[in-house]
Amino acid sequence: MTIEVTRSACVGAGQCVLVADDLFDQDDDGLVVLIEEDPREDRVESARRAASLCPARAIQVRE
């Protein structure tokens, strides 16, 4: 599984960081920063949850 982010779509809501702060961060402008592109198996559900909570759909989880 890999995670992809589209920073240009990010609106800075920060939901991804709230549910998976080991996978995502925010820069000084509040935009998503991907920390881990290939998360461990035990973090897959958190990645999926972050993607589902993103109001801009800026996070994609690829199986």
Side-chain angles (χ1 to χ4, degrees):
M1 181 194 86
T2 60
I3 303 170
E4 297 175 5
V5 298
T6 307
R7 286 178 44 87
S8 61
C10 181
V11 296
Q15 296 301 305
C16 55
V17 178
L18 290 174
V19 299
D21 64 354
D22 58 329
L23 301 176
F24 304 97
D25 199 357
Q26 289 176 286
D27 66 12
D28 291 339
D29 294 322
L31 300 180
V32 64
V33 174
L34 182 60
I35 296 172
E36 182 63 50
E37 183 178 316
D38 298 310
R40 299 181 322 257
E41 189 172 322
D42 65 330
R43 301 306 295 147
V44 170
E45 191 56 39
S46 293
R48 287 186 184 127
R49 181 150 172 74
S52 73
L53 291 174
C54 179
R57 301 294 178 238
I59 301 169
Q60 300 81 41
V61 176
R62 310 253 186 243
E63 300 296 325

